[in-house]
Amino acid sequence: MNARDRILARIREALTVPAPKPGSHGHAQEHDGGHGHGDSSAGTRPIGFRNRPVHVARAWLPQGGSTPAEHLARFAAASAELKTDFRCVDSEAEAHAALRRIADDEGWRRVASHHHAMTDAAVAALGRPALFTDGGYPPDDLEACEAGITTCDVLVAQTGSLVVNSRSSGGRALSVLPPHHVVLARRDQLVSDLTDAFQRVEALHGQQWPSMISLVTGPSRTGDIERILVLGAHGPKKLTVLMW
Amino acid sequence: MSIAAQQFLEAAGSITRNLRHRGLIQTALRKYEAARDRKKSAFNDWSAARQSAAETKWDAINHLDTYLVEFASKLEARGTKVHWCPTGPEARDTIRGIIRDAQAKCIVKSKAMTAEEIHLNEALEKDGFEVVESDLGEFIVQLRQEPPYHIVFPAMHLTRDEISDLFERELGSAPTREPEELTMIARRALRRKYLQADVGITGANFAIAETGMVSITENEGNARLTSALPRVMVTLLGIEKVLPKLEDLALFLPLLATAGAGQTVTGYNTLYGGPRQPGESDGPTEWHVVLLDNRRTELLADPEQRDALHCIRCGACLNVCPIFRNVGGHTYGTTYSGPVGSVITPHLRGLQDWKHLSNASSLCGACTEACPVKIDLHHHLLQNRRNAVGDAPSWIERLAWRAHAFVVNTPALYQFAQEVGRIVEPLRKRLQGTPLDPVQSWTRTRDLPPVAGESFKEWWRNRR
């Protein structure tokens, strides 16, 4: 019997004895919330058993709002708390102007990006040398770039997060190796909460998953020294989201 | 008494008197509590969310075989190599083999408690490989050659001055009192390592069966870099990490972040579904997922405590535990400390050697209250005590209780004992806790109420 079968056999043997269902163990019954008291053995539960399915659980989580205006307000508030530089502008041209100002202020010499209609236009408007990661790149060159400019799949009002992936956002390193990550986004990419975000990601990629999907929430951070917040631990010190 | 128990007692005795340590931990945890409470209050219903998480994990753990097979086959379909390892040594040898085959020199690693559990770094270093911890806290404790102090905050026991001295000594950096400066010193040191490393080793927070993906939670971006630049990636995870569906993360990511660190969600939550896929610009060409049992199936076989496998390693139970706050993380001498460590270590490493941890508890239940997946931690501590006594009864204790029962059940004898108690009371008070006291190891740190001058019976008789 190989190791896989040995582990599976041990699991199956262990599971022949049923365990009490959640919320009913020992003296914790008062927390059961009144669900499932009548049920006895747990071992007979079908796979996928839930008293409350997950799409119902979202009602108990922090909320992202129900209208686009609420989503925008919630995303802006979350960004401020996370120290994400979030700017919602009226047009793509305004976003490019904002990007040029940031580049001038920070003295960017070279930026990194990937090919996409939005990023191509932004890089062209920036008028600076650019490294495109598509099809492979020397890691040292990417490390030397002052900014990484990417698109994203979806933005989440509830948490102030955005989702990048290894196929359509320039690979695994572009959004995390340069010290400044700039995300270009459209307003219709902003959804209410994580449940919506995962559904959107599945609709986009479910047929053929990229090897990496990352939910990015604010710039890189650490509190490992005396629980004092420091930005830019290993990833970007700055995260800018330009939305129009 | 086991060696582990003796070491625990000695370490606990000295650290509880250390005011500097106490101050550091109290300050850090007060900050944590304030942040956690603020984030908890953003939930519409925290306790309903916990219940839902407990049910989801119950489903995952009680159908573990089905979900693990689904998880592994989905991973393999996209070119990932899945290794099943029943024991720690087997996992260690598997990873050593992968690294030898890759002809690696430098290895960069992001935080993985399972790697601590199987002492992976020591094994790799003995083979002559350089292993660099990339999480800032882990990097610091690695330089100090000590284990992490806390499963989420590894360097919580150190001041900025100590860290500055350490960096000066080990990295040759200039002394500084600024946490930001210190962080940048580590950032610069590690940047080169990400670019040089041939192999990246990570842990994992969740294993998604439905899509065959691993989810890694972190704040710093070090796990993202560890899994982006080296050509070989190794992910080590316990078999209990399974979640059935991708959308389960919509619940578990906020719960983990809120309970663990007082955040809405952690900085980076990254799903990995395979090595570099056709058309992608970077990422490892090889990905190995190492599934570790290491006696988790023993815990699974105990239906009473099976829910301890629901643990998502958020550290919330450590943070609220009065014992942890007094004795600190290193005193436990275990990979997993605090209440959950006290519950699972006897299953993972032997009940008789580690039963003392279940006794080091006030049974206040703060851990059970804090647990985001509703593990019945403090009752499990009681069950460990019961099981330990059942397996290896103490004849002296048993005899003492028999004698006690006989005395209190025999009125004449009980009355006689009271009389004797009253006569020896002044002597007892003097002797308590001194070397002449036969039970001094108990009474040294505990008070016995004085024997009453008059029993209730006598009091009643005199008033009637």
Side-chain angles (χ1 to χ4, degrees), chain A residues 94-125:
Chain A
E94 273 185 47
H96 292 170
L99 187 61
R100 272 197 301 272
R101 276 194 302 278
I102 297 169
D104 290 341
D105 289 347
E106 294 187 3
W108 293 352
R109 286 160 302 179
R110 194 174 186 210
V111 297
S113 190
H114 63 97
H115 288 302
H116 180 278
M118 282 160 90
T119 48
D120 284 345
V123 169

Side-chain angles (χ1 to χ4, degrees), chain A:
Chain A
M1 203 190 269
N2 64 23
R4 173 184 182 273
D5 294 339
R6 241 159 55 220
I7 291 179
L8 288 173
R10 274 152 75 165
I11 291 171
R12 285 175 187 137
E13 204 203 316
L15 291 178
T16 52
V17 187
K21 65 188 183 294
S24 67
H25 44 50
H27 302 256
Q29 278 190 355
E30 67 270 24
H31 301 301
D32 193 30
H35 277 258
H37 276 291
D39 296 316
S40 54
S41 156
T44 55
R45 294 282 197 188
I47 192 161
F49 147 77
R50 306 282 158 77
N51 277 342
R52 310 162 170 96
V54 174
H55 65 266
V56 175
R58 70 196 289 188
W60 300 311
L61 299 176
Q63 298 297 298
S66 46
T67 65
E70 281 175 16
H71 297 163
L72 209 54
R74 183 71 203 98
F75 190 84
S79 295
E81 199 188 328
L82 292 161
K83 301 193 163 59
T84 300
D85 181 6
F86 170 56
R87 306 178 194 192
C88 189
V89 294
D90 288 330
S91 68
E92 188 168 6
E94 273 185 47
H96 292 170
L99 187 61
R100 272 197 301 272
R101 276 194 302 278
I102 297 169
D104 290 341
D105 289 347
E106 294 187 3
W108 293 352
R109 286 160 302 179
R110 194 174 186 210
V111 297
S113 190
H114 63 97
H115 288 302
H116 180 278
M118 282 160 90
T119 48
D120 284 345
V123 169
L126 211 47
R128 280 173 166 78
L131 167 78
F132 286 93
T133 58
D134 308 69
Y137 58 89
D140 284 298
D141 288 3
L142 178 61
E143 212 268 335
C145 292
E146 279 92 5
I149 302 170
T150 75
T151 57
C152 69
D153 288 338
V154 59
L155 304 99
V156 192
Q158 176 194 31
T159 57
S161 315
L162 54 97
V163 175
V164 293
N165 75 79
S166 53
R167 191 193 307 133
S168 54
S169 333
R172 295 191 184 199
L174 175 59
S175 53
V176 78
L177 196 59
H180 194 154
H181 179 202
V182 180
V183 178
L184 307 175
R186 303 291 306 257
R187 283 185 206 202
D188 60 11
Q189 290 181 289
L190 179 61
V191 299
S192 174
D193 61 8
L194 289 172
T195 306
D196 280 346
F198 282 116
Q199 273 164 13
R200 179 80 68 103
V201 165
E202 191 153 5
L204 284 171
H205 303 298
Q207 291 304 311
Q208 195 199 348
W209 291 105
S211 71
M212 183 214 78
I213 299 167
S214 189
L215 182 81
V216 177
T217 309
S220 158
R221 61 192 56 228
T222 186
D224 272 349
I225 300 171
E226 295 187 18
R227 310 286 316 127
I228 293 163
L229 176 70
V230 176
L231 298 182
H234 294 284
K237 296 174 191 178
K238 289 184 178 166
L239 174 63
T240 300
V241 177
L242 296 174
M243 185 188 273
W244 65 87

Side-chain angles (χ1 to χ4, degrees), chain B residues 49-66:
Chain B
R50 288 172 76 213
Q51 176 65 23
S52 190
E55 286 166 12
T56 305
K57 273 310 268 189
W58 188 95
D59 174 38
I61 294 298
N62 285 279
H63 302 99
L64 190 57
D65 50 341
T66 314

Side-chain angles (χ1 to χ4, degrees), chain A residues 137 175 211 213 220 234-235, chain B residues 187 191 220 224 271 280 282:
Chain A
Y137 58 89
S175 53
S211 71
I213 299 167
S220 158
H234 294 284
Chain B
R187 178 185 170 105
R191 281 256 143 176
E220 298 180 2
R224 288 271 319 261
L271 289 156
E280 292 185 349
D282 56 8

